[in-house]
Amino acid sequence: MDHPYYVAGSWVSDGEVLEVRSPFRDNLVGRTFRPPERVVEEAIQKAGAAFDETRALPTYRKTNLLKRIASGVEERRNSFAELIAKEAGKPIRLAHGEVNRAIRTFTEAAEECSRLYGEILPLDVGEAAEGKVGFTRYFPVGPVLAITPFNFPLNLVAHKLAPAIAAGCSVILKPSSETPLTALLLAKVIDEAGALRGSLSVLPLEGGRAMELVGRTDFKKVTFTGSAAVGWRLKERAWDKKVTLELGGNAAVILHSDWSEWDRAVDRIVFGGYAYSGQVCISVQRIFVQEEIYNRFVDFFVEKVKGLRAGDPLSESTDIGPMITAGEASRVESWVDEAVEGGARVLVGGKRDGIFYHPTVLTGARSGMKVVDEEVFGPVTALFPYQHFEDAIRAVNDSKFGLQAGVYTRDMRLARKAFQELEVGGVIVGDIPTFRVDRMPYGGVKNSGIGREGLRYAIREMCEPRLLVLAQ
Ligand code: NAP
């Protein structure tokens, strides 16, 4: 039941107990510990010392280590999936999907590791540089501080650790206090795979203490995935280092009348809106449907949403699990209530059952309501009819967030217009904004963050290019 945390190659049980409980029925999943100051200091010092070794690792050793980690995750596939289902309350089918992604993430990091190309620069474009040639090469930036959220306790941790290893950085990870045990199991796999001693620590600190670390000059890079509220505050403190922020959103999908494959589109939009109870940064929250097909869409969509089965995350037949905390379920309830008081109509759902919030579809919501303007991060979607495609683009852009958008159209002209004009990090034509594979550059604009993840991009964000000029 006790899960020691990982400090630079050693397992430690020192500190105040942190009980990790399943959101479903509040069962105890396990206990870990809050590392005391002294231990945190030791981890920081060791990360600094280990960087001298990690920065010098040849590519083939990093590649082999990353491949061994991918195999280690594969070998423990079921343990990971069960642990995710227990501590995060994620339905087991989705938890298995997350494990598959993590295996892919480490495999891809192993591949990208050998593709960290620089450039050759013909500098002699003017007399001053005659006879000179330049080269750039990527060097690891230094020790990294990584902070991750609860909703993908394995894969979002993998998105920090895999690029750090590939880049040659040492790293201290602070996982979510709701879901630290999955990160600790991953640390075990990495340890067994033979990572350099000292190159990794996983410290289940509380959020506020992580904020204190952000300002430390020992770290050369802070990479954060989580809410916008925390992310932007953190960036203020990290003024002297590289920062990646992967934050939230209120993602939108546009369903245009020329899209004929209805069944599949509706199934995908239901998945995007309600998978893991909407606790996904690119969950579908706002749905814009061309008015010619709006009424038909509404009937079809609501029927499908009614068919979602709530239940035990460990059951293969569960579509909808609990919210991460009762407080989150109450927050979603209050946001929907506020929308209804302001004139929105509930077509299905709109109810809370303890820690479960029923999958909810709203019409008549508008700007100024939290369910439209803010990130709901719950199983709630709002439907809007539109007349012209331009209206839909304007409405999608009427948001302080910009992570990804989905656009269902067969008209290449409209698809290109969407690509040109939507203010987001990614436009997915023919699918939902929730589509992500880890090869993509992934990240947001506006309040949704800065920087990109996806192995190729995340590795570069953990490096600095260095220039070499050679004179004749
Ligand atoms: P959160 O409350 O912002 O927490 C994220 C992490 O930050 C946790 O480890 C948390 O620690 C820590 N934290 C909290 N307060 C802090 C502080 N003052 N200083 C430093 N760290 C602090 O987010 P969450 O509820 O776990 O996750 C949901 C959010 O993550 C949503 O907004 C979602 O959109 C976003 N997200 C974004 C992406 C993406 O790739 N763009 C992916 C997944 C999730 P504690 O657990 O100890 O509080």
Side-chain angles (χ1 to χ4, degrees), residues 180-200:
L181 304 184
T182 308
L184 292 171
L185 183 56
L186 181 59
K188 197 170 172 55
V189 168
I190 294 176
D191 182 74
E192 287 171 5
L196 280 179
R197 249 185 113 70
S199 61
L200 171 66

Side-chain angles (χ1 to χ4, degrees), residues 34 147-152 156 174-178 205-208 210-211 224-228 230 233-234 246-249 280-281 375 377 403 436 442 448:
R34 297 287 199 192
I147 303 176
T148 50
F150 74 85
N151 64 334
F152 285 84
L156 291 177
K174 178 252 171 298
S176 162
S177 297
E178 308 291 345
L205 295 165
E206 53 188 28
M211 187 63 96
F224 173 84
T225 303
S227 61
V230 175
R233 265 199 296 140
L234 182 151
E246 295 284 351
L247 311 177
V280 177
C281 49
E375 177 181 42
F377 219 58
L403 214 38
R436 180 179 182 191
Y442 177 75
S448 293

Side-chain angles (χ1 to χ4, degrees), residues 21 34 70 75-76 93 114 134 146 163 169 280 358 394 399 405 419:
R21 296 190 162 273
R34 297 287 199 192
E75 279 160 27
R76 286 188 159 91
R93 278 184 282 129
S114 62
C169 294
V280 177
H358 288 247
R394 250 194 312 277
S399 166
F419 185 47

